[in-house]
């Protein structure tokens, strides 16, 4: 009997780790603690975006994104909180309830009254509803309508419908029916098997139909006789059949959890039940999501995530004394762990072994474990000193008395242990009972206390004495006594790190201490040596590394990817060269290049199988097989390396909601709008838009990052923000683009939403061009009007000036025509007197006078005459004056020019008034013989004229003239003509003064612009 019990215990401990492996490494429960409103889950599905939809009995509808459960119930518009079935199709969620069918589109519900809906199917684009009283269809036009079939089908509870390409198989509580069409006049309506069927599924042309309390009927739909084969499983009720992984048939049962069959031989491959971690045995459904996770809906236990990974988790439910593991250490093939305040546990091939706690160490935390060269265990406690567990072996005799006639005697070698407690109560010289870290080097034990420095010693268990105790405090060079970690390198140097960021080592009892080794005041929690490099983990500043020198220079580990958390509690290398870092949110597997830069980071959290969640300080070790062990606040987790890793999927991103001027646009299907690249037309006032977009990652919901851009701008930085508000957008076309990436930095395909903000009428191009055209037209009208007014005013002014010029011209002509009446009278009287006295002279005078009159009339009609003609006219005038004058005088006319006088043009009658004035008022009034000299000469630009007489002087002559004298008026008009022709100061009149100040004559000089005929 004793032998039987002994072997039973051995078997129990052998299978216990196997049970724990299946229990916690592959199941993750979701219940009311996670926000689930009700534990009875009847259906669970996944929509196109990746959301899980959960239908509960009494708690309403739930949506799960891997992190948060959102609930809709009757208070939010759901017609019934009792949901039996779900189906997602074309952005619409169909909800089968006890009151009929409900439809959820976006944020609104629509309900159609009907019978209790148990399941929802789609076959050939038709929506079918199974109920307890037959089969129904639904469409938007006609609502819910019953499908008239065989009377027995119409009154049966429809469990499942399967279409094999030719026939419809309907599983009911009264039998399995086959029909060639779902109509009353179907040509084939046969009852295949008269059993109480509960569900049916098709897999590779094989129909599997479950029968209550019997098993599964296997039907070959392509065989002539259907090859009906029974897979017997009595006393179980199968609610659902599904095909998972490769060739596995999963049976969700009422009372036995999940039974997994191998489709090759239909043997039971595995059972997932209470022993494996399920809270209940009543399973409604299993299905696989897009990330290859299997989800389990239970009645009374919420829902579960079943997934494979490399982690094995231990907690108080499968062997540990408590959940919190403060320290973990590997000794040969055994793992030793400090478990809450309940002492030590050992994990080996036989399972988890509990050890009775030493009486003086009850309810004490063991914070550090190590072993010496003899394989004995050392453990440091908080306030109770050091536990030394000495292992030894002794022979033991075992007698098997099960056979009374011939008992067997055997000798076995048994491992025994002896505990010793080393504390201040027993050993007064011990610096402290508060031990943070223990380290064994050869036969010497190094202990780092919480605040009393570091000490080393050797212990003689036989004599129970401490030997060679050496203490290192501030006096010895340790400036910061708040020690966090302590490790020994290959050169025998004992390194330590402190709470205030100091680092140092002890060699040959000498302390080498470095202040602020990373130039930042932060706690250095962990020390690790690997291939000549020293690594340190910090509180909030990540991981740093340096070459192993007497004074290392540290640089922070950086790279393309960042650590999931910079708050490091533990660091360790695996056999493949990956650096593992434990933090408050799980563990990171870090890939480094040859220069120590981070190439990649793989994070493992609760959703990845690391159920310990927050790791404990320096509670990490590696066993002989390369497995990593992590102590955490929720248990002990083992990582077993393998080449099979769960594949990651590139994410997909969708628009959740778009608001225009703070109002959602519910009238359009966003995803369809994006796929068809339609353009949303907006008014000029609608310049404020808000975009909500989402990527659902059930495994890593908090690791999704997003970026966006507007039009052709640069991408924004990656962030966790999934909503962007845009205000004050310009008029015209716009494109908003968003993209996401997952925890592996796989990027989604970008999605774009096109919209056009119409401009106000004054911003429209046609309106602007119209305004420009109108402005140009008005400007042209105004300009034309102005030009007309200017032209009219110019014309009037021109006509006025022309009239004035004409009058002046007439006046000039009149002046030209006008001769001194006295001169004409004298000439006529002189001619009369000559008639009796000197007829010949009279004839000469008459002829000369006639020529002078003719020339005067001729020249007065022209604007310019030649200089030669003007000289002839002047000569004739002077000759008349000589013939008529009683006083003789002489004259001369000189020209000094390169031009021919006939080519030079001057205004007519310009010189005659000056000649007449010289003769009449100069020469004739003098008492001495007169002489008149007229001279012409030219320059390049002007014609110069000089009239010189030896008369009485012009100024003396003017004193005796009246203001109305003809000659004075002629001189005035001629002077004005000269000013208009040559400008001011063109005329100069001066008297000739002799040495005795006697006036000897007058000289008149003027110039006019030189004009020629060529």
């Amino acid at each position: 009997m004793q032998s039987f019990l002994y072997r039973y215990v051995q078997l129990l401990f052998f299978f216990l780790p196997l049970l724990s492996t299946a229990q916690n490494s592959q199941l993750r429960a979701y219940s009311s603690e996670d926000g689930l409103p009700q534990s009875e889950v009847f259906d669970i599905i996944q929509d196109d975006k990746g959301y899980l939809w959960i239908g509960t009995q009494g708690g309403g509808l739930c949506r799960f994104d891997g992190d948060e459960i959102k609930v809709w119930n009757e208070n939010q518009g759901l017609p019934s909180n009792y949901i039996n079935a779900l189906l997602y199709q074309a952005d619409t969620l169909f909800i089968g309830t006890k009151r009929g069918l409900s439809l959820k589109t976006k944020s609104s519900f629509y309900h159609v009254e009907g019978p209790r809906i148990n399941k929802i199917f789609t076959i050939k684009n038709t929506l079918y509803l199974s109920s307890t009283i037959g089969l129904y269809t639904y469409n938007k036009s006609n609502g819910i309508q019953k499908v008239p079939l065989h009377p027995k089908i119409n009154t049966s509870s429809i469990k499942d419908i399967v279409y094999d390409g030719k026939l419809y198989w309907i599983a009911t509580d009264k039998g399995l029916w086959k029909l060639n069409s779902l109509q009353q006049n179907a040509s084939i309506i046969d009852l295949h098997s008269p059993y109480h069927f509960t569900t049916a599924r098709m897999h590779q042309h094989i129909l599997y139909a479950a029968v209550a309390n019997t098993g599964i009927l296997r039907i070959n739909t392509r065989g002539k006789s259907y090859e009906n084969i029974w897979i017997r499983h009595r006393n179980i009720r199968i609610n659902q059949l599904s095909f998972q992984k490769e060739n596995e048939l999963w049976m969700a049962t009422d009372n036995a959890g999940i039974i997994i069959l191998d489709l090759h031989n239909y043997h039971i491959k595995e059972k997932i039940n209470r022993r494996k971690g399920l809270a209940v045995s009543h399973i409604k459904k299993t299905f696989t999501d897009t990330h290859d996770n299997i989800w389990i809906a239970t009645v009374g236990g919420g829902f579960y995530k079943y997934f494979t990974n490399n982690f094995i988790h231990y907690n108080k439910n499968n062997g540990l004394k408590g959940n919190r593991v403060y320290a973990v250490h590997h000794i040969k093939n055994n793992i030793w762990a400090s478990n809450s305040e309940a002492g030590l546990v050992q994990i080996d091939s036989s399972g988890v072994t509990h050890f009775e706690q030493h009486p003086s160490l009850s309810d004490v935390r063991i914070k550090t474990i190590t072993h010496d060269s003899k394989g004995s265990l050392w453990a440091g406690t908080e306030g109770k000193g050091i536990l030394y567990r000495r292992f030894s072996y002794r022979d033991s005799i075992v007698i098997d008395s099960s056979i009374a006639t011939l008992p067997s005697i055997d000798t076995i070698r048994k491992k025994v242990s002896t505990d010793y407690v080393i504390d201040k109560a027993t050993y007064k010289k011990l610096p402290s009972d508060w031990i943070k870290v223990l380290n064994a080097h050869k036969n010497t034990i190094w202990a780092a206390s919480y605040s009393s420095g570091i000490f080393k010693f050797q212990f003689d268990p036989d004599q129970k004495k401490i030997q060679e105790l050496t203490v290192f405090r501030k006096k010895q060079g340790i400036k910061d006594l708040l020690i966090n970690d302590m490790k020994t390198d290959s050169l025998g140097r004992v390194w330590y790190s402190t709470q205030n960021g100091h680092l140092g080592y002890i060699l040959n009892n000498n302390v080498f201490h470095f202040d602020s080794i990373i130039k930042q005041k932060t706690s250095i929690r962990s020390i690790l040596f690997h291939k000549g490099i020293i690594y340190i983990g910090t509180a909030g500043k990540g991981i740093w590394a340096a070459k192993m020198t007497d004074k290392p220079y540290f640089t922070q580990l950086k790279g393309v990817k960042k650590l999931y958390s910079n708050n490091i509690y533990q660091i360790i290398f695996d056999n493949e060269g990956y650096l593992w870092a434990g933090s408050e949110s799980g563990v990171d597997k870090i890939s480094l290049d040859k220069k120590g830069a981070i190439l990649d980071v793989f994070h493992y959290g609760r959703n990845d199988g690391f159920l310990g969640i927050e790791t404990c300080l320096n509670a990490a070790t590696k066993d002989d097989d390369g497995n990593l062990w992590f102590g955490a606040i929720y248990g002990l987790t083992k990582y077993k390396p393998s080449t099979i890793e769960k594949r990651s999927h590139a994410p997909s991103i969708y628009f959740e909601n778009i608001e225009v001027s703070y109002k959602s646009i519910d009238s359009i299907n966003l995803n369809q709008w994006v796929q068809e690249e339609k353009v949303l037309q907006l008014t000029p006032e609608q310049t404020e838009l808000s975009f909500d977009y989402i990527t659902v990652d059930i495994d890593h919901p908090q690791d999704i990052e997003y970026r966006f851009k507007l039009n052709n701008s640069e991408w924004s930085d990656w962030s966790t923000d999934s909503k962007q508000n845009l205000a004050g957008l310009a008029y015209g076309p716009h494109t908003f683009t968003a993209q996401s990436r997952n925890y592996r930095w796989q990027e989604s395909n970008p999605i774009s939403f096109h919209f056009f903000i119409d401009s106000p009428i004054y911003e429209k191009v046609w309106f602007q061009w119209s305004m420009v055209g109108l402005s140009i037209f008005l400007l042209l009208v105004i300009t034309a009007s102005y030009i007309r007014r200017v032209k009219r005013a110019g014309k009037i002014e021109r006509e006025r000036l022309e009239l004035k010029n004409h009058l002046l011209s007439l006046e000039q002509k009149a002046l030209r025509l006008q001769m001194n009446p006295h001169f004409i009278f004298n000439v006529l009287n002189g001619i009369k007197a000559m008639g009796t006295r000197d007829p010949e002279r009279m004839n000469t005078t008459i002829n000369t006078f006639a020529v002078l009159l003719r020339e005067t009339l001729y020249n007065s009609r022209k604007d310019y005459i030649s200089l030669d003609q003007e000289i002839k006219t002047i000569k004739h005038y002077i000759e008349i004056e000589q013939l008529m004058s009683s006083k003789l005088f002489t004259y001369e006319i000189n020209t000094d020019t390169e031009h021919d006088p006939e080519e030079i043009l001057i205004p007519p009658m310009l010189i005659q008034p000056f000649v007449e004035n010289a003769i009449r008022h100069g020469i004739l009034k003098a008492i001495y013989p007169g002489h008149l000299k007229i001279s012409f000469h030219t320059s390049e630009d002007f014609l110069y004229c000089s009239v010189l007489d030896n008369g009485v002087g012009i100024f003396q002559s003017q004193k005796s003239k009246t203001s109305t004298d003809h000659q004075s008026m002629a001189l005035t008009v001629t002077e004005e003509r000269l000013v208009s022709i040559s400008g001011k100061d063109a005329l100069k009149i001066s008297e000739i003064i002799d040495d005795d100040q006697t006036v000897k004559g007058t000289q008149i000089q003027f110039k006019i612009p030189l004009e020629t005929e060529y």
Side-chain angles (χ1 to χ4, degrees):
M1 181 64 182
Q2 291 178 350
S3 177
F4 172 78
L5 290 175
Y6 177 77
R7 293 184 179 180
Y8 176 81
V9 171
Q10 282 187 322
L11 290 174
L12 178 61
F13 279 114
F14 177 79
F15 285 106
L16 190 56
L18 298 181
L19 296 179
S20 65
T21 298
Q23 177 182 2
N24 291 293
S25 64
Q26 296 179 334
L27 282 178
R28 162 78 164 90
Y30 295 90
S31 61
S32 59
E33 295 179 357
D34 303 284
L36 189 68
Q38 222 279 342
S39 62
E40 294 188 8
V41 177
F42 269 38
D43 203 357
I44 180 169
I45 64 169
Q46 188 173 33
D47 65 16
D48 296 339
K49 295 180 180 178
Y51 286 114
L52 295 185
W53 293 89
I54 299 106
T56 70
Q57 285 291 296
L61 177 68
C62 305
R63 189 186 72 183
F64 182 54
D65 62 2
D67 182 49
E68 181 184 3
I69 296 177
K70 186 175 182 179
V71 179
W72 288 267
N73 52 36
E74 294 176 0
N75 295 328
Q76 284 80 40
L78 185 67
S80 175
N81 288 337
Y82 292 85
I83 298 174
N84 301 320
L86 297 170
L87 178 70
Y88 187 86
Q89 187 178 47
D91 288 331
T92 300
L93 181 66
F94 296 90
I95 308 167
T97 71
K98 66 178 184 179
R99 291 178 47 194
L101 181 68
S102 297
L103 289 78
K104 184 181 186 302
T105 56
K106 295 187 177 180
S107 58
S108 60
F109 289 94
Y110 171 70
H111 184 65
V112 182
E113 288 290 339
R116 174 189 175 96
I117 306 300
N118 294 325
K119 287 188 179 180
I120 309 174
F121 315 90
T122 53
I123 302 175
K124 292 184 177 181
N125 298 322
T126 301
L127 191 70
Y128 291 96
L129 313 173
S130 72
S131 74
T132 55
I133 52 172
L135 185 65
Y136 291 79
T137 61
Y138 169 80
N139 58 59
K140 192 173 182 179
S141 302
N142 302 320
I144 295 178
Q145 290 186 329
K146 190 164 187 177
V147 180
L149 298 171
H150 191 278
K152 288 187 178 181
I153 300 176
N154 294 338
T155 57
S156 299
S157 176
I158 307 298
K159 302 299 182 180
D160 253 322
I161 304 177
V162 175
Y163 180 64
D164 65 8
K166 294 181 179 179
L167 298 176
Y168 296 89
W169 297 82
I170 302 178
T172 73
D173 60 346
K174 298 178 181 178
L176 179 65
W177 296 78
K178 59 179 181 180
L179 301 82
N180 63 343
S181 67
L182 295 178
Q183 297 177 1
Q184 187 175 14
N185 58 356
S187 58
I188 300 176
I189 301 180
D190 292 335
L191 178 62
H192 184 83
S193 301
Y195 295 100
H196 182 174
F197 286 87
T198 57
T199 184
R201 280 292 183 274
M202 181 74 69
H203 180 67
Q204 296 178 355
H205 73 267
I206 302 296
L207 176 65
Y208 297 87
V211 178
N213 301 316
T214 302
I216 301 173
L217 179 60
R218 178 189 181 278
I219 301 173
N220 185 354
T221 58
R222 295 183 182 178
K224 294 182 178 180
S225 62
Y226 293 120
E227 302 174 3
N228 294 337
I229 299 174
W230 283 97
I231 305 171
R232 299 290 181 180
H233 288 280
R234 300 188 181 278
N235 300 321
I236 63 170
R237 181 184 175 92
I238 301 173
N239 293 320
Q240 187 232 16
L241 296 173
S242 63
F243 302 94
Q244 311 291 355
K245 300 183 179 179
E246 295 181 3
N247 297 312
E248 288 184 358
L249 175 59
W250 287 47
M251 300 184 296
T253 71
D254 264 1
N255 53 2
I258 299 173
I259 301 174
I260 303 175
L261 300 183
D262 188 336
L263 286 177
H264 292 108
N265 51 28
Y266 302 114
H267 291 167
I268 295 177
K269 189 175 182 179
E270 186 181 350
K271 292 183 179 180
I272 303 175
N273 48 30
R274 288 177 179 268
R275 290 185 177 182
K276 298 295 182 69
L278 294 179
V280 296
S281 298
H282 191 168
I283 310 300
K284 290 294 291 187
K285 182 180 180 180
T286 63
F287 94 101
T288 304
D289 67 12
T290 55
H291 286 72
D292 300 324
N293 302 306
I294 299 175
W295 296 86
I296 303 170
T298 75
V299 179
F303 66 98
Y304 289 80
K305 176 183 177 182
Y306 180 91
F307 57 103
T308 58
N309 54 70
N310 296 346
F311 291 99
I312 300 172
H313 190 66
Y314 300 85
N315 57 25
K316 64 181 181 180
N317 295 326
N318 61 355
L320 297 187
K321 297 178 180 180
N323 284 334
R324 192 178 294 263
V325 175
Y326 295 112
V328 59
H329 186 71
H330 167 249
I331 305 176
K332 295 183 179 180
N333 295 323
N334 301 323
I335 296 295
W336 289 84
S338 166
N339 195 199
S340 296
E341 287 78 27
L344 300 172
V345 295
Q346 176 187 333
I347 303 175
D348 56 17
S349 59
S350 63
V352 179
T353 303
H354 295 177
F355 289 88
E356 184 178 351
Q357 186 77 313
H358 192 279
S360 64
L361 302 181
S362 60
D363 299 326
V364 175
R365 293 180 183 176
I366 296 176
K367 297 303 294 285
T368 177
I369 306 173
T370 189
H371 72 282
D372 57 24
S373 58
K374 297 178 181 180
S376 297
L377 182 142
W378 294 81
T381 70
E382 286 187 343
K384 295 294 184 179
I386 301 171
L387 170 66
Y388 170 49
R389 178 162 292 170
R390 182 184 184 186
F391 295 107
S392 60
Y393 293 89
R394 66 185 179 190
D395 294 335
S396 178
I397 298 176
V398 178
I399 301 174
D400 186 359
S401 58
S402 60
I403 304 176
T405 57
L406 186 62
S408 62
I409 300 175
D410 195 7
T411 301
I412 62 172
R413 190 169 179 80
K414 184 178 181 182
K415 184 178 181 180
V416 295
S417 63
T418 305
D419 288 347
Y420 302 87
V421 176
I422 304 172
D423 57 11
K424 290 190 68 174
T426 306
Y427 305 94
K428 302 298 184 183
K429 294 183 179 181
L430 204 67
S432 176
D433 284 336
W434 292 78
I435 308 302
K436 192 72 171 284
V437 187
L438 284 177
N439 199 344
H441 181 60
K442 297 181 180 179
N443 294 323
T444 301
I445 302 300
W446 290 78
S449 66
Y450 274 74
S451 60
S452 300
I454 298 173
F455 58 95
K456 67 174 183 174
F457 65 93
Q458 292 181 0
F459 183 71
D460 186 349
D462 296 328
Q463 298 182 11
K464 297 182 180 180
K465 289 184 179 181
I466 291 180
Q467 300 172 351
E468 300 181 14
L469 176 63
T470 305
V471 182
F472 302 90
R473 296 191 178 99
K474 287 188 176 181
K475 184 178 180 180
Q476 285 73 32
I478 301 178
K479 298 179 181 180
D480 183 11
L481 299 180
L482 301 176
I483 308 298
N484 277 334
D485 197 11
M486 183 175 62
K487 293 286 194 310
T488 304
D489 65 15
S490 59
L491 299 178
R493 295 178 294 187
V494 178
W495 291 79
Y496 61 88
S497 64
T498 74
Q499 185 72 20
N500 293 310
H502 296 190
L503 188 71
Y505 65 86
I506 302 171
L507 180 63
N508 298 327
N509 292 334
N510 294 316
V511 176
F512 300 87
H513 189 88
F514 311 113
D515 299 336
S516 302
I517 194 67
I518 62 173
K519 308 301 180 184
Q520 298 186 38
K521 189 176 180 179
T522 184
S523 176
I524 300 177
R525 290 173 170 168
S526 302
I527 302 174
L528 179 65
F529 307 110
H530 183 72
K531 294 183 178 180
I533 305 294
I534 179 173
Y535 296 86
I536 56 175
T538 68
K541 300 298 181 181
I543 303 174
W544 298 64
K547 291 184 178 180
M548 292 285 291
T549 60
D550 292 337
K551 188 176 181 180
Y553 176 75
F554 284 89
T555 57
Q556 190 175 12
L557 296 188
K558 295 181 179 180
V560 178
K561 289 192 175 182
K562 297 180 180 180
L563 301 181
Y564 199 82
S565 172
N566 285 322
N567 196 26
I568 308 301
Y569 287 108
Q570 50 188 233
I571 50 178
I572 189 172
F573 271 94
D574 64 15
N575 289 344
E576 297 176 351
Y578 290 101
L579 174 62
W580 290 73
S583 66
E584 76 282 359
S585 56
V587 291
D588 287 347
K589 178 182 176 183
I590 307 165
S591 175
L592 303 175
D593 64 10
K594 294 181 180 180
K595 295 182 180 180
I598 297 176
L599 293 176
D600 206 347
V601 177
F602 303 84
H603 177 72
Y604 299 94
R606 189 177 185 185
N607 287 335
D608 306 289
F610 189 84
L611 304 183
I613 304 179
E614 182 176 346
T615 58
C616 291
L617 182 63
N618 295 319
T621 191
K622 180 172 64 175
D623 63 22
D624 294 334
D625 296 325
N627 303 314
L628 301 182
W629 296 77
F630 301 98
I633 63 173
Y634 291 107
L636 177 64
T637 300
K638 172 185 176 182
Y639 175 80
K640 185 176 182 179
S642 70
T643 57
I644 301 175
E645 295 283 349
K646 183 177 179 179
R647 63 187 180 95
S648 60
H649 301 259
S652 297
I653 186 171
Y654 304 91
F655 283 113
E656 281 270 271
N657 186 36
I658 297 178
E659 293 181 355
V660 176
S661 298
Y662 308 104
K663 294 182 179 179
S664 296
I665 48 175
D666 294 329
S667 59
I668 65 174
N669 185 317
L670 294 178
N671 295 325
Q672 182 181 359
W673 201 275
V674 169
Q675 292 173 1
E676 297 178 1
E677 297 185 353
K678 295 183 178 180
V679 179
L680 180 65
Q681 300 291 331
L682 302 177
T683 64
E685 296 78 21
Q686 295 173 320
T687 59
E688 296 182 353
L689 281 81
S690 176
F691 294 89
D692 280 284
Y693 37 88
I694 191 69
T695 287
V696 180
D697 189 333
I698 294 294
D699 291 334
H700 303 90
Q702 296 181 343
D703 297 330
I704 298 298
E705 292 182 323
Y706 304 91
R707 64 178 181 176
F708 72 95
K709 66 177 180 178
L710 183 65
N711 302 327
N712 294 322
S713 62
E714 295 294 328
W715 284 104
S716 66
D717 293 333
W718 289 102
S719 72
T720 57
D721 295 333
S722 60
K723 182 175 183 178
Q724 295 300 326
N725 299 314
L726 306 178
L729 293 174
Y731 306 120
H734 296 282
T735 301
F736 180 86
T737 306
Q739 190 179 28
S740 66
R741 70 180 182 186
N742 61 14
Y743 77 111
R744 296 299 306 133
W745 283 21
Q746 292 174 292
E747 296 179 0
S748 69
N749 292 324
I751 56 171
S752 298
F753 187 85
H754 306 279
F755 58 99
F756 182 89
I757 302 177
D758 196 9
S759 58
I761 188 170
Y762 59 83
E763 291 281 353
K764 293 183 180 295
V765 175
W766 67 266
F767 180 82
Q768 293 176 345
W769 280 110
S770 299
M771 291 298 99
V772 171
L774 180 61
S775 299
I776 293 174
F777 175 75
L778 293 176
L779 181 62
L780 290 175
V781 170
I782 294 172
T783 302
S785 176
Y786 175 77
I787 291 174
R788 283 197 300 270
R789 288 198 303 270
V790 170
K791 284 184 177 180
R792 185 163 56 249
K795 182 179 180 181
I796 294 172
E797 181 67 14
R798 186 169 60 254
E799 290 176 352
R800 186 184 69 80
L801 292 175
E802 287 177 353
L803 178 61
K804 182 177 178 180
N805 290 335
H806 182 64
L807 292 174
L808 289 174
S809 176
L810 291 177
E811 181 181 355
Q812 290 175 2
K813 290 178 180 179
L815 289 173
R816 294 171 193 168
L817 291 172
Q818 187 179 20
M819 281 192 173
N820 189 341
H822 183 67
F823 169 73
I824 297 174
F825 178 76
N826 289 337
V827 171
L828 292 177
N829 285 334
I831 291 173
K832 180 180 177 181
M834 291 178 188
T836 58
R837 192 174 59 225
D838 191 351
E840 185 178 353
R841 187 177 179 184
M842 179 190 69
N843 291 333
T844 301
T845 301
I846 291 172
N847 291 334
T848 302
F849 185 63
V851 172
L852 178 62
L853 289 175
R854 186 169 60 250
E855 288 177 343
T856 301
L857 291 173
Y858 177 76
N859 293 341
S860 65
R861 295 180 178 275
K862 295 183 177 181
D863 293 328
Y864 290 94
I865 62 173
S866 66
L867 178 61
D868 180 69
Q869 183 63 37
E870 180 72 3
I871 291 173
K872 289 179 180 179
T873 302
I874 291 172
K875 284 182 178 180
H876 289 145
Y877 174 75
I878 293 174
E879 290 174 357
I880 291 296
E881 289 287 357
Q882 285 178 333
L883 290 173
M884 298 301 301
S885 174
S886 60
K887 181 180 180 180
L888 297 175
F889 64 91
T890 60
Y891 76 94
E892 60 179 302
I893 299 175
N894 302 317
T895 58
D896 183 11
T897 176
E898 296 178 355
H899 302 280
D900 191 333
E902 292 184 355
E903 297 175 349
I904 299 173
L905 300 177
I906 65 172
M909 299 296 289
L910 185 64
I911 302 174
Q912 187 273 337
F914 299 115
V915 174
E916 181 181 355
N917 183 75
I919 295 173
R920 292 299 181 99
H921 301 287
I923 294 174
L924 296 181
K925 289 185 178 183
I927 58 175
Y928 43 81
H931 181 74
L932 177 66
K933 183 179 180 179
I934 302 171
S935 301
F936 298 94
H937 72 276
T938 61
S939 66
E940 292 183 0
D941 300 317
F942 291 96
L943 170 67
Y944 296 91
C945 178
S946 174
V947 179
L948 179 66
D949 67 79
N950 60 349
V952 296
I954 189 170
F955 301 122
Q956 183 64 32
S957 175
Q958 286 178 347
K959 294 179 180 179
S960 60
K961 293 195 297 181
T962 63
S963 59
T964 58
D965 184 76
H966 165 77
Q967 191 62 31
S968 298
M969 292 181 63
L971 286 175
T972 301
V973 171
T974 302
E975 184 176 0
E976 292 177 355
R977 291 180 68 192
L978 285 173
V979 170
S980 64
I981 294 172
S982 302
K984 191 177 180 180
D985 299 329
L987 177 65
K988 293 182 180 180
I989 301 176
S990 62
E991 291 182 337
I992 300 172
I993 306 299
D994 201 356
D995 295 336
D996 57 357
Q997 299 298 315
T998 303
V999 177
K1000 294 298 184 179
T1002 301
Q1003 184 176 18
I1004 297 175
Q1005 295 175 319
F1006 66 88
K1007 66 179 180 178
I1008 61 175
L1010 180 63
E1011 297 286 345
T1012 59
E1013 290 183 349
Y1014 50 85

